[in-house]
Amino acid sequence: MTYDVVINGCGPVGALAGNLLGRQGLSVLVLEKELDHYPLPRAVHLDHEMMRLFQSAGVIDAVLPDMIATDGHLHIGADHGVIRYMGTVGKAQPFGWANDWFFYQPELEAHLRAGMDRLQSVELELGAEFVGLEQDQAGVTVHYAGAGGLRAVRGRWVIAADGARSPVRKALGVALDDLQFEEPWLVVDAEVEGPVSFPPLTGVPDGADLQRLSVMMCDPVRPATVVPGRGNHRRWEFMLLPHEDDAGMMRPERVAELVGAWMKNVPHRIVRAATYRFHGLVAEQWQVGRVFLAGDAAHQTPPFFGQGMCHGLRDVANLAWKIAAVENDRAPESLLATYQPERDPHVRAVIGAAVAAGRYICELDPARAAARDAEIRARAAERAGETAADLIPAIGCGVILPGSAGAGERFIQPVLSDGRRLDDLTGQGWRLFGRGPDANGVARFNPATLPDGGAVQAWLAARGAEAVLVRPDHYVFGTGKAGDLLAARAATLGQSAEIAA
């Protein structure tokens, strides 16, 4: 049997890919070398766009009860005063979800795997360790070691979602572009039975709840991050100082000392402590023939804005609709060549912001830290009202209509009068909002009749547009006249317009 897609790796990125592709009716085999998902937390933060993708994948109802929405990010300077606030309290949620969500990764992985189990066209094989591959013009043969010994499987396409040490990337000989950021940090997860004790802080905005914020202590004595979690889970990240080593920092007594300073008289239990090198790395090639790199296999992001896993989930959302268009709708295979041009600049922009933040966060010289604080505070007015969502740029090229207002932006998802969100009404796939002709493969909606309080009409008016065409991954293809948008889409997908007046 030849599968439409073989996915190597069943972490959250590979599992979301399996869900999205399976819901398109594609035959998918997911290979995972471990017999069970990793039992301890690794990633802890997602944003509103990921919640929308869980809607697309049909798993949001299962995922939501195990997540907690929080209120953004706060950076504290060397003098323990606020230098940067990216809070969301009281702000609009144009995409239908709060911007910051914390979760427990083993629970999330279990929900995503359960979603795949419900899809008849998706298979998961555990204990399958990648060995090698070869490809030709029609597909890829993947070799792996499984329960029955060495095996081979054939796929039209392969997605490598197999992590930072990606054996597929290594087999392909793809190099990583080093963005020149590497800092050692100790990451500690704990179960706590009360609030975190912060030192006295100045300049905390009214209404900001430190227990509901990701707090970055930019303290040259020891940079550290304190983040909330779902339930009683909390995470601390402590930068290693130049004289410290990994083994010494992971000693139980040292971990207890570091965390205990934040947990005065609060019972707590350390779940995990591990040292990491926070990197900024991007693969030079994300596509080699019929094989695509996604997630940490394609890029590694410093965690200062919590976007590492978000990048990977965006990757496979971008790939899934394009592979489905090729396999189901006879779109040209060249459509898949837009994957890296769309995603690479997107990822680099966010990594750049995270690296820039990391450089000022990791400053250990007291004089330079004080100068940094003064400089950041001097620019407070231009950053007023910012949130972490503002870090995500629009798509700049690829499957968009260049020159049209809003092209490449994430499209809004207003909450409807009945409490549902826009995608619950419109479904997934291509969607046209505006009066105009119908076209095969595109769902059309009249903004004037949407029960959204006029949100879509206001979005169009702000861009001076009659209509907007939205891609399956919720990014704007373009704005303009409905007929022109449909014709441009058809041309991009190598199809006849099939437009009915």
Side-chain angles (χ1 to χ4, degrees), residues 23-294:
R23 286 173 68 86
Q24 295 286 333
L26 300 186
S27 60
V28 180
L29 175 64
V30 184
L31 302 175
E32 170 54 52
K33 70 175 182 177
E34 303 297 339
L35 294 175
D36 199 358
H37 56 74
Y38 191 69
L40 297 175
R42 288 180 288 191
V44 295
H45 173 270
L46 295 170
D47 66 16
H48 63 83
E49 191 176 350
M50 306 309 109
M51 300 299 282
R52 193 173 188 179
L53 293 179
F54 295 150
Q55 281 181 267
S56 301
V59 297
I60 188 64
D61 289 342
V63 166
L64 186 57
D66 288 329
M67 306 191 81
I68 181 173
T70 56
D71 298 340
H73 306 259
L74 185 70
H75 291 188
I76 304 297
D79 60 359
H80 286 186
V82 172
I83 57 174
R84 191 174 183 185
Y85 176 54
M86 291 170 282
T88 57
V89 173
K91 293 180 180 172
Q93 297 178 1
F95 304 105
W97 296 98
N99 188 67
D100 296 284
W101 294 82
F102 286 83
F103 63 97
Y104 196 72
Q105 185 168 332
E107 294 172 344
L108 176 62
E109 291 193 21
H111 292 314
L112 291 173
R113 291 190 182 190
M116 291 195 303
D117 287 343
R118 292 190 289 269
L119 298 170
Q120 292 185 350
S121 65
V122 180
E123 300 174 31
L124 171 60
E125 184 170 343
L126 301 174
E129 185 169 4
F130 175 83
V131 173
L133 60 79
E134 61 259 357
Q135 53 183 315
D136 53 43
Q137 292 184 345
V140 186
T141 301
V142 178
H143 301 274
Y144 64 97
L150 291 177
R151 300 184 63 183
V153 66
R154 184 84 170 159
R156 293 258 304 145
W157 308 96
V158 169
I159 297 175
D162 49 357
R165 297 183 178 89
S166 172
V168 174
R169 186 188 67 230
K170 292 176 182 177
L172 295 171
V174 173
L176 293 171
D177 182 7
D178 190 341
L179 302 185
Q180 302 301 311
F181 182 85
E182 180 177 345
E183 293 291 349
W185 285 66
L186 172 71
V187 177
V188 182
D189 292 284
E191 294 175 350
V192 304
E193 302 301 331
V196 172
S197 298
F198 287 89
L201 305 178
T202 61
V204 177
D206 292 341
D209 182 351
L210 294 175
Q211 306 299 325
R212 291 181 53 81
L213 289 164
S214 175
V215 180
M216 174 59 70
M217 303 294 295
C218 309
D219 188 341
V221 175
R222 182 184 301 280
T225 307
V226 188
V227 300
R230 71 94 183 94
N232 65 348
H233 176 229
R234 276 276 185 176
R235 170 167 289 182
W236 285 263
E237 296 169 352
F238 303 99
M239 182 178 170
L240 272 65
L241 304 179
H243 64 279
E244 294 172 331
D245 61 38
D246 294 37
M249 286 294 284
M250 287 192 292
R251 293 199 319 268
E253 61 271 23
R254 184 63 175 133
V255 173
E257 176 188 356
L258 288 166
V259 172
W262 299 86
M263 289 273 92
K264 296 174 183 176
N265 301 316
V266 173
H268 59 280
R269 182 180 73 88
I270 304 300
V271 174
R272 182 187 72 134
T275 55
Y276 288 88
R277 265 54 187 171
F278 291 171
H279 290 292
L281 301 168
V282 182
E284 293 180 354
Q285 290 176 271
W286 296 33
Q287 176 184 4
V288 178
R290 306 180 78 83
V291 182
F292 303 90
L293 305 180

Side-chain angles (χ1 to χ4, degrees), residues 413-432:
Q413 185 183 203
V415 176
L416 308 178
S417 59
D418 62 4
R420 293 183 300 163
R421 293 170 175 83
L422 182 64
D423 296 352
D424 300 327
L425 172 67
T426 65
Q428 308 301 320
W430 288 87
R431 288 147 290 166
L432 175 71

Side-chain angles (χ1 to χ4, degrees), residues 20 24 49 52-53 55-57 314 316-325 329 335 342 395 399 411 423 426-433 441-443 469-477 489 493:
L20 293 173
Q24 295 286 333
E49 191 176 350
R52 193 173 188 179
L53 293 179
Q55 281 181 267
S56 301
R314 288 189 191 97
V316 294
N318 186 292
L319 271 176
W321 77 261
K322 293 175 180 176
I323 292 175
D329 304 325
L335 176 67
E342 287 190 358
I395 293 173
V399 188
F411 191 61
D423 296 352
T426 65
Q428 308 301 320
W430 288 87
R431 288 147 290 166
L432 175 71
F433 297 89
V442 180
L469 183 58
V470 181
R471 304 184 340 174
D473 58 356
H474 313 303
Y475 283 81
V476 173
F477 171 76
R489 170 191 174 274
L493 299 182

